[in-house]
Amino acid sequence: MWENMCLHHDSQLKIVTDLKSLDISQAPKETTKHHYDRTVQLEKVILEWHLQFEKLVTQQKHYIKALNSWLKLNLIPIESNLKEKISSPPKAQNPPIQALLHAWHDYVDKLPDELAKSAISSFVAVIKTIILQQEEEMKLKERCEETRKEYLKKKQAFEEWYQKHLMRRGPDEAEHERGEEVNTNNPVSERQFVVESLQKRLEEEIESHQKHCIQVREKSLQSLKTRLPELFRALSDYAHACAEAYEKLKLITQSRGGGA
């Protein structure tokens, strides 16, 4: 099993290391709802991965500890009187399985599981940061859309009002009012100022959103390029350490003729 895990993690490490040459120039320029949902899904998968890896490490150690406890109980002769001692000789104090269990305990205790757990945990933190950045980007886009709707609504209302005002005041007078600076006595310029202010705000929000899109893409890619190789290198190292440990345990059983 661990030899197969070595092959898989080594292959994954090579793939993520090649990310440094990844070209995203043709990728979507902004985060879509589908993209965001997949990022959230990835976070859930990695959290579950971290949980299951911890359970694997913990339960393996508990299992070996339980076997050692069982062995200790069975190595203690249960004798209540001299007659039992004569009829039932003491059990062997060094059964073949003892060396196997002691070696197993030592090998498992030295496995780099903390490094692997830390690498998975760090990658979870990276994905959480990307999610927060994507959420901020989507909020900025939503704000742009709200401002755009308000601007178009105000602009249409102003144009309709202005056409009516033009008919009442005459073309020359209305155009003169429209070109004047804003003041409390000029309803045309006042309404026009509101529309132009909304237009300016919309342009600023669009620019802010576009800048944030670029930042999210660049930061996300850089984080993945850095953290993914670290993650799979740690897992590859753990798999290789496990494969080596169990190969040594296998040799112990073979050297004792299968007595364990």
Side-chain angles (χ1 to χ4, degrees):
M1 180 189 80
W2 286 111
E3 287 177 351
N4 286 332
M5 292 298 288
C6 288
L7 293 174
H8 288 303
H9 287 322
D10 287 348
S11 176
Q12 291 165 334
L13 176 58
K14 183 181 183 305
I15 291 171
V16 297
T17 301
D18 290 341
L19 276 175
K20 60 185 178 182
S21 59
L22 181 65
D23 180 17
I24 63 167
S25 60
Q26 301 303 316
K29 303 299 182 184
E30 63 182 59
T31 301
T32 63
K33 181 65 165 59
H34 174 78
H35 187 187
Y36 172 76
D37 290 341
R38 296 292 76 77
T39 310
V40 172
Q41 182 183 30
L42 177 60
E43 180 195 24
K44 292 179 181 178
V45 170
I46 300 170
L47 285 170
E48 180 64 20
W49 184 13
H50 186 263
L51 174 64
Q52 295 303 326
F53 185 83
E54 281 193 317
K55 287 172 65 177
L56 168 68
V57 172
T58 301
Q59 291 178 9
Q60 184 174 223
K61 290 180 178 179
H62 285 174
Y63 177 65
I64 298 168
K65 184 178 180 181
L67 286 177
N68 273 293
S69 298
W70 165 81
L71 181 62
K72 288 179 182 179
L73 289 173
N74 282 274
L75 287 177
I76 300 174
I78 304 175
E79 303 164 353
S80 58
N81 54 50
L82 181 60
K83 184 178 180 180
E84 282 190 15
K85 183 181 293 185
I86 296 172
S87 60
S88 302
K91 299 177 183 177
Q93 295 300 302
N94 296 297
I97 196 175
Q98 187 174 26
L100 174 64
L101 291 181
H102 287 171
W104 195 357
H105 178 274
D106 290 342
Y107 287 144
V108 169
D109 197 47
K110 294 175 182 177
L111 291 175
D113 54 88
E114 288 300 327
L115 291 174
K117 284 190 287 187
S118 177
I120 300 175
S121 180
S122 296
F123 193 66
V124 171
V126 168
I127 299 303
K128 286 182 181 293
T129 299
I130 292 176
I131 288 174
L132 292 174
Q133 292 171 343
Q134 290 179 343
E135 287 176 345
E136 179 62 24
E137 178 189 332
M138 295 174 72
K139 287 178 182 177
L140 287 173
K141 183 177 181 180
E142 185 178 348
R143 192 180 305 161
C144 285
E145 293 304 316
E146 291 175 353
T147 303
R148 189 191 308 279
K149 289 178 182 178
E150 185 180 2
Y151 164 67
L152 293 175
K153 182 179 179 181
K154 294 284 187 182
K155 181 182 179 182
Q156 182 179 359
F158 170 73
E159 294 296 341
E160 291 175 354
W161 174 87
Y162 182 70
Q163 289 300 321
K164 294 178 181 178
H165 183 71
L166 189 65
M167 293 176 63
R168 290 198 304 268
R169 303 295 298 274
D172 294 338
E173 187 177 353
E175 282 297 332
H176 176 71
E177 287 181 342
R178 187 167 186 171
E180 287 183 355
E181 294 183 359
V182 177
N183 58 69
T184 56
N185 299 318
N186 189 339
V188 175
S189 58
E190 285 180 359
R191 292 171 183 257
Q192 187 176 4
F193 176 76
V194 172
V195 175
E196 289 175 349
S197 298
L198 275 172
Q199 182 180 14
K200 183 178 179 181
R201 194 175 93 192
L202 175 60
E203 291 170 352
E204 290 173 349
E205 289 178 358
I206 290 175
E207 182 181 1
S208 176
H209 173 249
Q210 290 175 344
K211 286 181 179 179
H212 197 75
C213 287
I214 295 173
Q215 291 175 355
V216 170
R217 292 169 77 242
E218 290 180 348
K219 289 181 179 179
S220 298
L221 183 61
Q222 187 58 43
S223 295
L224 294 174
K225 282 182 177 182
T226 303
R227 297 296 185 174
L228 277 172
E230 292 177 358
L231 170 64
F232 286 105
R233 186 173 292 108
L235 291 168
S236 177
D237 290 346
Y238 181 79
H240 279 280
C242 285
E244 182 180 351
Y246 282 104
E247 183 62 31
K248 290 179 180 177
L249 290 173
K250 180 181 177 182
L251 292 175
I252 292 176
T253 63
Q254 290 175 345
S255 67
R256 293 181 173 271

